[in-house]
Amino acid sequence: MPKSSAIVEYDDRWIINPLRNRTFTGIDVDAAAVVFRFDSGFVLRTSVEAELSARSIADGAVDRHPLDFWSREDTARNLSSTVVSPVFFKKGSLRLGFANGWNLFVSPTKPEVPAELWLEEQLVWSRAGLLDNVPFPVVQIDRWTGQEITAPPWPERPAELDLSSSDDING
């Protein structure tokens, strides 16, 4: 099992374990951004179009509302808990699950919503992906076996091979 100080990489997401079990400490709101601060020096920068829900994680669910649906005080109260699920997707979205049941989202269907995760003055993740020089080890995990991948991934199939005629290898 990967260390809690590692970022776990799957084929479609990163689990940023150094953010797990960190406590939300405050929120700053201005016309340009909403900034969430955590006790570990992590900062998440986004906008009022990020969403919050106490129930559903489904994109477009009726329980998900933009941050400006709640007052700043209500948002801070709703998130006043520890992070239990720090998931940052390779398609540019994120889901932070908190121990009290609330979830913070940046949806993949709203690419105009900015989102960046910083550790103090260093950018760790943006909607473009995980940066190359993150201050944590990145451990790749096979989604089928759950085992750490230690070999390089298989190369992609060359585009010039036309193998789309049949999925049957005997045909």
Side-chain angles (χ1 to χ4, degrees), residues 3-169:
K3 296 179 181 178
S4 63
S5 63
I7 295 173
V8 177
E9 180 177 9
Y10 292 93
D11 58 345
D12 66 339
R13 67 190 73 194
W14 295 279
I15 311 298
I16 301 186
N17 279 324
L19 184 54
R20 184 170 290 183
N21 298 320
R22 304 317 317 171
T23 303
F24 170 79
T25 59
I27 184 172
D28 298 319
V29 180
D30 63 31
V34 177
V35 178
F36 297 96
R37 290 178 273 110
F38 298 88
D39 64 351
S40 56
F42 277 106
V43 171
L44 177 66
R45 295 181 180 154
T46 186
S47 71
V48 295
E49 289 88 18
E51 298 172 307
L52 195 57
S53 175
R55 294 178 185 88
S56 180
I57 64 170
D59 200 13
V62 296
D63 293 329
R64 281 176 63 162
H65 298 287
L67 293 174
D68 60 1
F69 178 82
W70 289 277
S71 70
R72 178 178 170 183
E73 294 76 22
D74 287 343
T75 299
R77 185 186 69 246
N78 294 343
L79 298 179
S80 61
S81 185
T82 57
V83 175
V84 294
S85 181
V87 184
F88 293 76
F89 294 92
K90 292 184 178 181
K91 290 188 176 183
S93 59
L94 69 89
R95 179 183 67 235
L96 289 183
F98 290 82
N100 63 2
W102 283 86
N103 293 287
L104 178 66
F105 306 94
V106 171
S107 173
T109 62
K110 298 179 181 173
E112 71 281 1
V113 178
E116 296 177 337
L117 180 68
W118 291 77
L119 179 60
E120 295 165 359
E121 299 299 319
Q122 183 175 1
L123 183 61
V124 174
W125 176 90
S126 74
R127 293 200 71 162
L130 192 69
L131 270 65
D132 291 334
N133 61 345
V134 294
F136 308 103
V138 178
V139 178
Q140 291 183 320
I141 301 295
D142 181 271
R143 69 177 172 162
W144 301 108
T145 66
Q147 300 297 314
E148 183 175 340
I149 298 171
T150 56
W154 284 93
E156 294 292 323
R157 179 180 1 189
E160 63 272 5
L161 287 180
D162 182 20
L163 300 175
S164 61
S165 60
S166 173
D167 288 337
D168 184 0
I169 62 171

